[in-house]
Amino acid sequence: MSAVISRRSPALFIVMGVSGCGKSTVSESLAEHFGIISLDADDFHSAENKAHMASGQPLTDAMRVPWVHGLRDHLALMAAQGESCTLAFSGLRKAHRDVLRNTGHRVFYLLLDGSRELIAKRMQARAGHFMPASLLDSQFAALERPMADEQMMYIDIDQPVDGVMNTIYTLVDDLI
């Protein structure tokens, strides 16, 4: 574990963006780099939410609220135990991002940013995910671009994964 990420001051790296941008891959790589836990917000969705999305329907804000609050509660418990982690989380709404800022962690947001065409191509190439590529437009429509006060790190994903990760390691190492 990095000496900078300690149990006294746990860190939370939220890797966010629309479905198919690479959140899970980046979150897992970042967790491995720092020797911390990797979480995926998709694992916290209810069976009803997953079925709703799998049927080609986007979630409503009302459907997202219990999911986000459940994530916050789990993360707060981890922070109380001194556990740092990464979280792959869409973060489409500012209100949801704000909820996760209050977990007891030092929070770092990384937005994986790419064009609709690039992400659609990646979604069509993946198999076994409950989120169909047909919902990509609804993801972009729901995404509230971060405001300047959110202290967001923007990561261009139009490069190989190694390039994305090297960019992130440089940014994060400079911050912590």
Side-chain angles (χ1 to χ4, degrees):
M1 183 185 318
S2 171
V4 183
I5 301 176
S6 72
R7 294 186 66 78
R8 289 188 311 259
S9 184
L12 168 60
F13 300 94
I14 299 178
V15 181
M16 62 167 277
V18 298
S19 184
C21 69
K23 295 181 299 288
S24 297
T25 299
V26 169
S27 179
E28 290 168 8
S29 294
L30 191 57
E32 184 176 322
H33 176 78
F34 284 114
I36 59 178
I37 297 166
S38 176
L39 300 173
D40 194 316
D42 285 346
D43 295 337
F44 291 80
H45 273 299
S46 67
E48 294 80 15
N49 279 6
K50 287 182 180 179
H52 191 81
M53 289 182 282
S55 73
Q57 299 176 63
L59 295 179
T60 65
D61 284 339
M63 296 169 88
R64 289 184 182 111
V65 168
W67 169 63
V68 173
H69 285 264
L71 280 168
R72 183 209 48 220
D73 294 347
H74 183 80
L75 292 166
L77 179 62
M78 289 183 70
Q81 296 171 347
E83 293 291 338
S84 294
C85 63
T86 63
L87 176 67
F89 171 68
S90 58
L92 300 176
R93 301 285 194 205
K94 182 181 186 312
H96 301 157
R97 297 188 297 266
D98 288 346
V99 167
L100 296 187
R101 289 184 194 283
N102 300 308
T103 63
H105 290 98
R106 291 178 296 140
V107 179
F108 302 93
Y109 272 99
L110 298 94
L111 174 62
L112 302 185
D113 210 11
S115 70
R116 187 215 174 280
E117 294 75 25
L118 173 66
I119 295 170
K121 183 178 175 183
R122 291 180 179 183
M123 285 183 83
Q124 291 165 354
R126 72 182 183 182
H129 197 279
F130 66 86
M131 176 68 91
S134 62
L135 287 181
L136 182 57
D137 288 334
S138 72
Q139 290 269 294
F140 274 105
L143 176 62
E144 295 174 355
R145 300 290 295 181
M147 307 298 280
D149 67 335
E150 290 189 79
Q151 300 176 337
M152 188 75 52
M153 290 177 268
Y154 288 83
I155 311 299
D156 179 6
I157 62 167
D158 192 7
Q159 57 182 320
V161 173
D162 288 346
V164 169
M165 294 313 304
N166 286 335
T167 299
I168 292 170
Y169 297 148
T170 300
L171 288 171
V172 170
D173 286 341
D174 287 345
L175 285 176
I176 58 173

